[in-house]
Amino acid sequence: MIAVSVARPHDLRVVEAEIPAVASGEVLVRVLRAGICGSDMHIFHGSNPFARYPRIIGHEFAGEIAEVGPNVTSFKAGDRVVVDPVVACGHCYPCRIGRSNVCAHLEVMGVHRDGGFRNFIAVPAGNAVKLKAETPIGIGALAEPFSIAANILERTGCGPDDTVLLYGAGTVGVTVMQVAKMNGARVIVADPDRARLERALGFGADKVLVSGVDDIPARVAPETDGLGPTLVIDCAGVPALLEEACRVASPAGRVGVMGFSPAPCNISQQEIVKKELTLYGSRLNRRLIPKVVEWLEGGKLKPEAMITQTFAAKDAAAAFELFEKEPGKTIKIQLDFAQ
């Protein structure tokens, strides 16, 4: 089989690899489609602090069961599945309270252990989620990125009474926006890239603002009776945005942080206390992929237009080059491992 591996930072290779053995409690998944994520690019650049090299990357992938290991009764060969890449111990404090996405012994496929950019991967059966036979496999592979949106919006309690301000109209922002709209919220998107904002309007944004040009607090106020958005989410991962988010948010508002930067940022304790704001961090997803699959298969989300390019897996280097050099042309690039 072939695998897409980062041998060391800035060294992406398509290599021959062994088909893994299937242990008790595991299933062997034949990967058919896998999406490239910004975090894959971070591993490629050497900026992910958790990755060790060489590493087979990839955590957004779907396929079919090729083999069922001992003590697995919930799947059979031929079942189509999407894989939750979050592997938790099940015993530590976060796991015991239903927060397995921040398990004390967390491992993420494609980061801490080898991932799904390969023809076959053995995964715990509990991490495989069935797809209907008629569900397009590319749509199935979108379940993981939508689970990231589901996690932040469940954490912050997004609903129809909310006016949401999203910073960032990239892939993360587009997924969060779609789930927020599904939840009945009004959504304003801010981004410095006008082409991205046009794209956000196409996916249902109620209003868009140009960061660095528009006065975000002044432009948002009339949309919210002068109070500010009830929910602000940083989908851009820019630490400096947290200060503005706290300043622009409504009294009793919530602020969600999705970035993963160690850089410090200035926030006003007075602003948080004066308005009794609640700040939420959000990482990965806590077993939300089954719910996302229901949304996708039930038509509540219609994300087909997010898949902007599909490359044969052997052409992964070209796909990464496009992702990095021409981001305006892409939302989600997928690798086809069936070719």
Side-chain angles (χ1 to χ4, degrees):
M1 72 171 186
I2 65 168
V4 180
S5 174
V6 180
R8 60 184 66 84
H10 308 288
D11 185 359
L12 182 80
R13 304 180 183 183
V14 178
V15 300
E16 288 291 329
E18 296 291 326
I19 296 176
V22 187
S24 178
E26 291 185 335
V27 293
L28 183 68
V29 177
R30 178 179 176 239
V31 178
L32 298 175
R33 194 67 69 86
I36 298 175
C37 175
S39 57
D40 297 316
M41 192 62 71
H42 295 155
I43 296 172
F44 173 62
H45 285 304
S47 58
N48 186 310
F50 304 110
R52 298 293 179 268
Y53 302 90
R55 175 64 68 224
I56 298 172
I57 53 177
H59 58 273
E60 303 175 9
F61 58 97
E64 63 184 22
I65 302 294
E67 184 182 338
V68 174
N71 300 313
V72 175
T73 59
S74 51
F75 294 99
K76 64 181 185 303
D79 284 344
R80 284 199 159 195
V81 295
V82 58
V83 175
D84 186 337
V86 180
V87 182
C89 74
H91 306 295
C92 67
Y93 170 70
C95 287
R96 293 198 306 271
I97 64 167
R99 302 275 292 280
S100 56
N101 55 317
V102 286
C103 169
H105 309 286
L106 179 72
E107 288 192 316
V108 180
M109 299 176 201
V111 182
H112 306 84
R113 59 167 69 182
D114 284 341
F117 281 4
R118 47 178 159 164
N119 293 113
F120 293 93
I121 179 173
V123 304
N127 285 71
V129 178
K130 283 185 182 178
L131 298 170
K132 293 178 180 178
E134 63 270 22
T135 301
I137 203 66
I139 298 300
L142 289 175
E144 194 280 337
F146 272 102
S147 75
I148 307 304
N151 200 76
I152 183 67
L153 293 175
E154 284 210 358
R155 290 273 289 144
T156 54
C158 178
D161 292 332
D162 282 310
T163 295
V164 183
L165 171 63
L166 301 181
Y167 287 107
T171 304
V172 173
V174 167
T175 55
V176 173
M177 181 188 67
Q178 289 177 78
V179 177
K181 292 291 294 179
M182 185 192 73
N183 288 345
R186 176 172 171 78
V187 182
I188 303 167
V189 181
D191 194 283
D193 189 314
R194 293 178 188 270
R196 281 185 168 187
L197 292 174
E198 284 297 319
R199 193 167 66 189
L201 287 170
F203 280 99
D206 293 289
K207 186 180 182 68
V208 296
L209 300 171
V210 184
S211 301
V213 175
D214 292 324
D215 183 333
I216 304 295
R219 294 290 300 276
V220 170
E223 307 285 332
T224 57
D225 297 325
L227 294 177
T230 54
L231 175 57
V232 185
I233 299 179
D234 172 18
C235 303
V238 178
L241 288 175
L242 185 55
E243 184 276 331
E244 182 172 282
C246 291
R247 183 160 41 88
V248 74
S250 165
R254 296 98 71 207
V255 176
V257 183
M258 302 186 73
F260 211 83
S261 170
C265 58
N266 293 318
I267 58 173
S268 167
Q269 188 181 48
Q270 182 183 62
E271 201 73 36
I272 294 170
V273 173
K274 176 180 70 175
K275 295 193 285 190
E276 202 173 67
L277 300 177
T278 306
L279 272 61
Y280 293 90
S282 183
R283 185 181 184 190
L284 304 166
N285 88 93
R286 57 183 188 283
R287 300 294 183 185
L288 292 172
I289 287 184
K291 179 179 289 189
V292 172
V293 168
E294 288 183 11
W295 296 342
L296 291 169
E297 294 184 334
K300 292 184 177 180
L301 295 171
K302 299 183 184 297
E304 291 83 358
M306 287 184 62
I307 304 171
T308 46
Q309 293 87 14
T310 302
F311 284 75
K314 63 182 177 61
D315 298 324
F320 270 69
E321 184 175 18
L322 177 65
F323 185 104
E324 183 166 30
K325 293 186 177 179
E326 299 190 69
K329 294 183 177 179
T330 72
I331 302 177
K332 179 58 64 179
I333 302 174
Q334 291 189 342
L335 300 178
D336 186 347
F337 282 85
Q339 295 188 32

